[in-house]
Amino acid sequence: MADFQQIQQRETGLQQHLTSAQMVMIAIGGAVGTGLFMGSAFAIGFAGPAVLVSYAIGAFIALLLIGCLGEMTVAHPTSGSFGAYAEYYLGPMAGFVVRYAYWAALVLAVGMEVTAVGMYMAYWFKDVPQWVWVGLFSAVLIGVNLRSVKVYGAVEYSFSAIKVAAIVAFVLIGAYVVFGTSTPGIGFANYQIGGGFWAKGAWGMWLGVIVAMFSYLGVEAIAVAAGEAQHPQQAVQTAMKTTVLRLVLFYLLTLALMLAIVPWTDAATQTSPFVRVMQVLDIPFAAGVLNFVVLVAALSAMNSQLYTTSRMMFSLARARQAPRVFGVTNANGVPVAAILVSSLGAAVAMFINAFWPKESFVWMMSIAMFGAMFAWFMVFVTHLAFRRHRMREGAPAIAFRMWGFPWLTLLGAVLMGAVLLTTAFTPAFRLTLAFGLPWLAVLAGLYLLRRNKG
């Protein structure tokens, strides 16, 4: 087996400008977006107040993933990330399938986020077709990504800072309203409305995990960004250790307070539950301000996902598994062609929005989640092979190390597999496996055809 340095060497050409602080914000940018501000409404509809347990389980899986991915990234910081690790430790076919499945998922996720942008803009401009906003904001963010990774990092840091400040403000206002006042109809008694905490039962809670997992997808962007970090090993360790904790606090605290202010039966609507809370509290202009925040959140997630998916296509091209043009960088170290082809999701979103504006968000989310969840599942599988290989070779221990190996790595794989399987029994997400499994078969077939021709 060739040395992994050969993979790292072929992926050179990108510029290392990202700081550890920017990497944290990139991960938060990918994971705190539509999944929290809009997707939480779907999760509440599935689980009721037990959605808190759903998001706690999702956070646990994300923590296990960060442990596995963090160890491999510290050992091999490269933009190909888990796709390159799968190629090296599981075989070229695994690397091909994982990278293309993930790339397609994020292409569609980009479209899903910009679909949400159209929905948020409708709050102010009800008569303007949503596809107009989809096209406008897509053009702006594609332009940001085409400038340089330094510009991208600065913009994403600013976007994420706005989101973090808004979430902190929401928590402080919510905590004051719930604990510092005695407003009628507000309090933890709302958890007992409509059947109580377990109104939807254990099965409803588990269905909520599907949406919770989709909400956390994006934390893996830290590993992809490692290839363009100034000090990759140190930056990855710092970013990975702080990101999951922040995400858990953001999700669980905001949801807990939201459900105490607005009964879950009212929060489970197509409107962002956060905007609904501000409408209930009747704070002047607060609903409009928060709608701006969730708009920024969707743009931030789209920006982060466009970056991540373009780097995955860059890695595929450098592995000679995609047209060579996608692996070419300009003078600023930007893979222009990879970014442009990765923005196809925005075009798909414009088309779907033009004809099916009401169904577009759920459709895009259910299809997009397969590749990302499959990539997470494969991270756990790859980590098992990674650790066995290092033990066999007698390699020294790494500073960032997954705990509880192999049992927690195996548990992560089982939980991810269970979440994926559950989508088949959920009408809203039936498209996930219906699209995903044939897509895997197509990718495997394409790889075999390419190998036989080569």
Side-chain angles (χ1 to χ4, degrees):
M1 182 181 289
D3 194 277
F4 194 90
Q5 287 183 355
Q6 293 181 4
I7 294 178
Q8 290 175 304
Q9 184 62 34
R10 79 183 185 211
E11 295 191 357
T12 57
L14 302 172
Q15 295 186 357
Q16 296 178 307
H17 288 303
L18 297 175
T19 66
S20 59
Q22 287 176 329
M23 288 178 67
V24 170
M25 288 303 196
I26 287 170
I28 291 175
V32 180
T34 304
L36 172 62
F37 291 108
M38 180 66 80
S40 55
F42 293 101
I44 293 168
F46 284 134
V51 71
L52 293 172
V53 181
S54 305
Y55 274 84
I57 292 173
F60 176 67
I61 298 173
L63 183 63
L64 296 181
L65 177 104
I66 286 294
C68 295
L69 190 54
E71 182 177 351
M72 293 189 290
T73 304
V74 169
H76 310 302
T78 185
S79 291
S81 186
F82 45 85
Y85 309 149
E87 175 189 343
Y88 184 72
Y89 291 105
L90 299 177
M93 183 174 180
F96 179 90
V97 172
V98 167
R99 276 183 283 212
Y100 266 112
Y102 183 75
W103 176 81
L106 259 67
V107 165
L108 291 172
V110 166
M112 189 208 73
E113 296 291 352
V114 79
T115 295
V117 167
M119 295 168 68
Y120 297 145
M121 291 301 293
Y123 179 85
W124 295 298
F125 305 98
K126 292 182 175 59
D127 297 328
V128 178
Q130 292 183 15
W131 64 266
V132 173
W133 303 116
V134 171
L136 176 63
F137 285 106
S138 296
V140 170
L141 291 188
I142 290 169
V144 167
N145 276 265
L146 289 174
R147 288 289 303 278
S148 70
V149 73
K150 185 182 291 187
V151 171
Y152 160 76
V155 170
E156 188 56 37
Y157 187 94
S158 301
F159 276 165
S160 295
I162 292 172
K163 287 192 294 189
V164 170
I167 292 172
V168 170
F170 181 90
V171 168
L172 292 176
I173 294 171
Y176 171 74
V177 170
V178 173
F179 298 106
T181 67
S182 54
T183 307
I186 292 179
F188 291 105
N190 281 336
Y191 281 41
Q192 301 305 315
I193 290 176
F197 188 83
W198 293 97
K200 297 286 189 170
W203 179 246
M205 179 277 295
W206 179 249
L207 294 181
V209 175
I210 299 173
V211 184
M213 288 308 309
F214 187 79
S215 300
Y216 289 117
L217 294 173
V219 296
E220 71 282 355
I222 299 175
V224 177
E228 293 174 88
Q230 292 176 355
H231 306 287
Q233 279 86 358
Q234 296 89 336
V236 167
Q237 291 182 64
T238 302
M240 295 248 180
K241 288 177 180 177
T242 59
T243 298
V244 172
L245 176 61
R246 295 183 189 187
L247 290 176
V248 171
L249 290 175
F250 289 163
Y251 276 96
L252 295 185
L253 280 177
T254 52
L255 286 172
L257 291 169
M258 180 200 308
L259 293 170
I261 297 171
V262 176
W264 72 268
T265 49
D266 291 339
T269 65
Q270 268 212 310
T271 305
S272 169
F274 290 81
V275 174
R276 180 80 184 103
V277 166
M278 291 305 174
Q279 289 172 338
V280 169
L281 295 180
D282 200 26
I283 300 174
F285 307 110
V289 171
L290 193 56
N291 194 67
F292 169 76
V293 171
V294 297
L295 171 67
V296 169
L299 291 172
S300 171
M302 177 188 172
N303 197 37
S304 177
Q305 288 158 358
L306 182 57
Y307 165 82
T308 306
T309 193
S310 66
R311 270 42 179 190
M312 201 57 61
M313 178 53 68
F314 167 83
S315 177
L316 279 163
R318 289 298 181 91
R320 298 184 179 179
Q321 294 176 342
R324 190 170 299 178
V325 66
F326 299 135
V328 176
T329 58
N330 64 11
N332 293 324
V334 176
V336 174
I339 290 172
L340 293 177
V341 75
S342 297
S343 62
L344 286 173
V348 173
M350 283 185 66
F351 176 79
I352 294 178
N353 260 285
F355 293 97
W356 304 281
K358 292 184 179 179
E359 298 89 350
S360 57
F361 180 79
V362 177
W363 284 2
M364 296 290 282
M365 180 166 67
S366 61
I367 294 174
M369 69 169 58
F370 175 82
M373 287 186 176
F374 173 72
W376 275 38
F377 172 77
M378 291 301 292
V379 166
F380 292 115
V381 175
T382 305
H383 185 256
L384 291 169
F386 162 85
R387 186 68 78 83
R388 282 199 303 267
H389 174 80
R390 293 185 67 84
M391 290 171 63
R392 188 169 59 249
E393 297 292 321
I398 301 169
F400 191 103
R401 191 172 174 83
M402 174 61 178
W403 54 96
F405 181 86
W407 306 114
L408 289 184
T409 302
L410 287 168
L411 178 60
V414 169
L415 288 173
M416 277 307 307
V419 172
L420 266 171
L421 184 62
T422 303
T423 61
F425 303 98
T426 314
F429 300 117
R430 201 157 282 160
L431 283 174
T432 301
L433 286 182
F435 166 83
L437 293 179
W439 175 231
L440 285 187
V442 168
L443 290 176
L446 287 174
Y447 175 81
L448 293 174
L449 283 173
R450 285 176 55 87
R451 188 186 67 178
N452 292 336
K453 286 183 179 179

